[in-house]
Amino acid sequence: MPRNIVIYWLLFAMHLGLHASTIPSHVDIGIFSGQNLRKFSFVPLTGRYIICDPDHKKVTELKPFSSIIVQRQNNGFTIFQDDSVIYTGSDITLQGGAFNNSFLLVPMDRNTEPRMYDGDLTISFSDRRLGLINTAPFESYVAGTVQWESGHNRHEEFYKVQAVIIRTYALSNLQRHRRQGFHLCDQVHCQAYYGKSINPNILEAVKATRGMVVTDHNNKLINTVYHANCGGQTVNSEDLWPHSYPYLRSRNDIYCRSMPGAQWEHSLSIADLRRYLSHAHNFQPNASQWRHIETLRQNTRKHHIDPERNIHLSEIRDHFGLRSTYFSVTPRNDSLHLQGRGFGHGVGLCQEGAMQRAEKGYSKEEILSFYYLGARLTQWEHQPLFRQEK
Ligand SMILES: [Zn+2]
Ligand SMILES: [Zn+2]
């Protein structure tokens, strides 16, 4: 092979390798996604904000606590400052101009709590809606998400575990909302992110694990799915989803069984279940088929409500809003009494099991390799900051 082609391929391979193992400095999050805000105020908290129009022309500059109000109109939005209109249009960027920039966003047309964010805000109008994108430092997004996905007053080692798997999950899904012009949404569809965290224990855990991700032995990010409580047994990925991952194996978990999400009960109307089976699956169980359904027992996890049709329990869970698929059934008059275990889909890391393991002194490595079999912690580097200070 000619020498220059060899060099080209070497450079290309190095580029791929570098690209594959780095973390972007910032991430674009679609915030208040699905809420269609009509009116809100934007209040800089730290740093300063430069308002730029689509031609990158500066409209004005905001210092901390000098707020503006954004109001949606029929074909765009208007920005007010001290009751005067300073901008009317359909696209604007509020760009941080100092090293640390944070702001408060206060919805004024509904009863939603104000939220705090680091970084920039882009506002655009399309399809009669305001689209808000928060461009946040990657690790600030991780800390915010740790808070909203795992709550306050958790063990520091558990926060480290959450930081690592949230970082990994975000990196694996950066293309999810590409068509909408951002990387990730702020709902559970991606991961819950209702603003930055100021919880010192969470910030410390994120800092201590900065750049750490979970990979397989080829340094490839693994799919770090998680759920609230597995009920004592996690689920093989292929028992719920189309893909089989070697690290998403069913494991017996003794640590979550006394936690708040471990048990539940529910009464399901027999008529409703029969109607669902008939409409969704054209299935009218005869006496012996119905007997299987009304006496379903799960000492270990099963995946189908009936032995013949293979109607997946996850469909029943989704349709009837059940906490999990891990339940046993007892007939009671005109309803079925469900006694269930766990909360969530059951694949990957069980949060309440991981919390208990952290309390009992397990390390993040031990916790991660239990729920993600054979996976390991790997250090990735952040790409340098892409923007100049103004
Ligand atoms: Zn999403
Ligand atoms: Zn568990």
Side-chain angles (χ1 to χ4, degrees), residues 230-232 253 256 350:
C230 72
D253 188 5
C256 59
C350 163

PDB file of all heavy atoms in Angstrom, residues 230-232 253 256 350, ligand 2:
ATOM      1  N   CYS A 230     -35.904  -3.723  41.451  1.00  0.00           N
ATOM      2  CA  CYS A 230     -36.127  -4.906  40.607  1.00  0.00           C
ATOM      3  C   CYS A 230     -37.024  -5.934  41.289  1.00  0.00           C
ATOM      4  O   CYS A 230     -37.397  -6.932  40.666  1.00  0.00           O
ATOM      5  CB  CYS A 230     -34.791  -5.543  40.212  1.00  0.00           C
ATOM      6  SG  CYS A 230     -33.956  -6.393  41.565  1.00  0.00           S
ATOM      7  N   GLY A 231     -37.347  -5.741  42.559  1.00  0.00           N
ATOM      8  CA  GLY A 231     -38.209  -6.686  43.264  1.00  0.00           C
ATOM      9  C   GLY A 231     -37.489  -7.956  43.678  1.00  0.00           C
ATOM     10  O   GLY A 231     -38.111  -8.907  44.128  1.00  0.00           O
ATOM     11  N   GLY A 232     -36.167  -7.987  43.517  1.00  0.00           N
ATOM     12  CA  GLY A 232     -35.404  -9.160  43.937  1.00  0.00           C
ATOM     13  C   GLY A 232     -34.779  -9.931  42.786  1.00  0.00           C
ATOM     14  O   GLY A 232     -33.973 -10.828  43.003  1.00  0.00           O
ATOM     15  N   ASP A 253     -31.202 -10.237  43.424  1.00  0.00           N
ATOM     16  CA  ASP A 253     -30.794  -9.071  44.198  1.00  0.00           C
ATOM     17  C   ASP A 253     -31.477  -9.126  45.564  1.00  0.00           C
ATOM     18  O   ASP A 253     -32.691  -8.948  45.667  1.00  0.00           O
ATOM     19  CB  ASP A 253     -31.233  -7.814  43.428  1.00  0.00           C
ATOM     20  CG  ASP A 253     -30.702  -6.547  44.048  1.00  0.00           C
ATOM     21  OD1 ASP A 253     -29.918  -6.640  45.014  1.00  0.00           O
ATOM     22  OD2 ASP A 253     -31.077  -5.459  43.556  1.00  0.00           O
ATOM     23  N   CYS A 256     -32.622  -5.079  47.609  1.00  0.00           N
ATOM     24  CA  CYS A 256     -33.723  -4.119  47.414  1.00  0.00           C
ATOM     25  C   CYS A 256     -35.024  -4.610  48.019  1.00  0.00           C
ATOM     26  O   CYS A 256     -36.031  -3.927  47.961  1.00  0.00           O
ATOM     27  CB  CYS A 256     -33.911  -3.861  45.921  1.00  0.00           C
ATOM     28  SG  CYS A 256     -34.291  -5.369  45.011  1.00  0.00           S
ATOM     29  N   CYS A 350     -30.522  -1.716  39.570  1.00  0.00           N
ATOM     30  CA  CYS A 350     -31.656  -1.516  40.469  1.00  0.00           C
ATOM     31  C   CYS A 350     -31.231  -0.422  41.450  1.00  0.00           C
ATOM     32  O   CYS A 350     -30.298  -0.611  42.237  1.00  0.00           O
ATOM     33  CB  CYS A 350     -31.935  -2.843  41.176  1.00  0.00           C
ATOM     34  SG  CYS A 350     -32.939  -2.743  42.651  1.00  0.00           S
TER      35      CYS A 350
HETATM   36 ZN    ZN B   2     -33.099  -4.940  43.120  1.00  0.00          ZN
END
